[in-house]
Amino acid sequence: MNKNNNINLSTFDRIKKNLTYFVIYFFLFSLLLFPLWLNKKFGFLYYEQFKFNLTLIYYGFLDGDSNLIDSIIKWLVVVPIFLSIMYIYLKKMISFFYTHEDKSIDLIVKKLKSLKKNYYRFNINKLFQFVNFLMNKLFFITMIILIFILFYLFTNFFVKADKVSNVDYLDLNYEYPDVYSNGNNNNLVLLYVESLENSLSNKSIFNENLIKEITTIGEGKSVKYFYQIPGLGYTFSSLVSTQCGIPLLQISKSHTDAKDLQLINEFLPNLKCLTDILADHDYENIFLSSDYLENSLTDKFLLNHNYSKLYGLRELINMGYKTSKNAYHNKKKWSGGIHDNILLKASIDILKEKKKNKEKNFFMSIMTLDTHAPAGTPNRECLEKIMNKRDLRNYTIKESFKCTSFYVRKFIDDFNKLNLDNTKLIVIGDHLLMKSINSEKRYIYNKFFIDDELEIKRDYINFFDFYPSILEVMKFKINNKQGKVALGFSVFANNDQYNLIDFTLKGSSKLYDTFWKTDVK
């Protein structure tokens, strides 16, 4: 009886030991693959960008893309499990050969009859001894070193971002909005196209122009280089930085404490953004997106900054617009999502109503989703046209951009046909595509359909610069010679103070804290 108990105890101990090692190996292999996976899906991410989005996901403010979740399960769960099991078996096999030298070597020698037994006995014994040493003594150190090397090579987590601290830059360079109007201001439609960048038209990279429908538009003006400020390459940050002229980063009390995110009711309430200025001049601010507005705290930002009409996925569904299970949406929701063509049709429908009712000036922001990394969620009807008889499930981000390019072009054509009075259009990418592209320099797409008298005065523009530039497109006057509002400089103004921001804005900022109320409720 005692012997059986000892056997059972010994078996239990072995299982416990193997399970412990399995968990450790799984964790290490997951960490090893993680930077490679991040780079493949999103390119070179900054730590602040990764941390902020992870926090939003944790507190339920950001729905996960089902394709992305499937990829996570495959590469960060299934593959590490397989590698862990294989490593445990390999380790046991090496250990067996090493501890049962005579039997193991004789077995191997029999399969190597053409060579002398003594020669292989010596070399194989040494080999097993060395491999056994590596697998038992140096494995953890080697794995940790490799993990750090891969994070260094394939992410920007360790990039020194404090060339200029946030205290120095934001506090010393912020220009409070000082604008006025002489009347007869323009309306504006601002279309953010998910991940739209100029590199997508490069035939040497993709063997074709993926956004041909957009790039072949003859009219309009473009700034040559719309560059992405490090750390701001995600949708919500793009929205805030282009319309408020400051970065949205984890700065001091704003986002440092993650638990405060779920308590936020007021989002940068003391900051004067574009739509706040427009509301002061009796504009109606309209926002459309095919995502749920509560994602990423978008609704809190919009409501705090005088957007009066909000149309997210839920609202568009209630209005009767067509949904699709293939469109970007939270898979837990049975209703499906809305493709870019339907979102842009809804936008045109609202603009038609604005043409009938000219009581108020308006500003409209639209944000698409079909080209969201890693592969996008293109409309099946479009895929059937461009993929011929190929399996429609095997689409890539290339097909997604082809489809969205077609729909954006149609939107621009429909917008022009409306011939709306005093209404301008700007089309931009919300950020660079979150995938590695074999291009030395990457710039975000931009196109201004504006008055001829507005002349672009420089080759570079960033997120912050859109704030004052948009104001000038809408015929507001900026009360300084540099055309500066917040951290941005108008691209239509001559100035000698413009410098590229090639560093991440981070750290603490007393000024930034004043934009938030001290008591987060």
Side-chain angles (χ1 to χ4, degrees), residues 374-378 383 387 390 392-402:
T377 50
L383 286 180
M387 293 186 71
R390 287 182 289 160
L392 299 185
R393 294 172 297 179
N394 293 330
Y395 68 83
T396 67
I397 195 68
K398 294 171 66 174
E399 284 75 34
S400 296
F401 273 109
K402 286 180 184 179

Side-chain angles (χ1 to χ4, degrees), residues 63-88:
D63 285 340
D65 178 2
S66 63
N67 291 329
L68 201 62
I69 293 171
D70 290 344
S71 180
I72 290 172
I73 293 172
K74 177 181 178 180
W75 291 105
L76 301 181
V77 178
V78 176
V79 172
I81 287 174
F82 173 78
L83 291 175
S84 300
I85 294 172
M86 291 300 295
Y87 184 79
I88 289 172

Side-chain angles (χ1 to χ4, degrees), residues 340-341 344 379 382 403-412:
D340 287 351
N341 62 316
L344 295 175
N379 190 323
C382 176
C403 290
T404 287
S405 175
F406 173 80
Y407 295 135
V408 170
R409 176 61 181 265
K410 185 177 185 307
F411 172 80
I412 294 171

Side-chain angles (χ1 to χ4, degrees), residues 127-182:
L127 176 63
F128 287 150
Q129 184 179 4
F130 177 70
V131 173
N132 189 62
F133 172 76
L134 286 179
M135 299 186 77
N136 285 283
K137 305 297 182 183
L138 295 181
F139 174 76
F140 295 106
I141 296 174
T142 304
M143 286 291 286
I144 290 171
I145 292 173
L146 282 174
I147 287 168
F148 274 99
I149 289 174
L150 291 178
F151 267 100
Y152 179 80
L153 291 176
F154 294 98
T155 74
N156 283 332
F157 280 24
F158 302 117
V159 171
K160 186 176 180 181
D162 279 334
K163 294 180 184 177
V164 178
S165 72
N166 207 43
V167 173
D168 291 332
Y169 196 86
L170 182 61
D171 291 24
L172 297 179
N173 289 279
Y174 183 83
E175 184 83 23
Y176 285 92
D178 184 6
V179 302
Y180 63 93
S181 168
N182 290 328

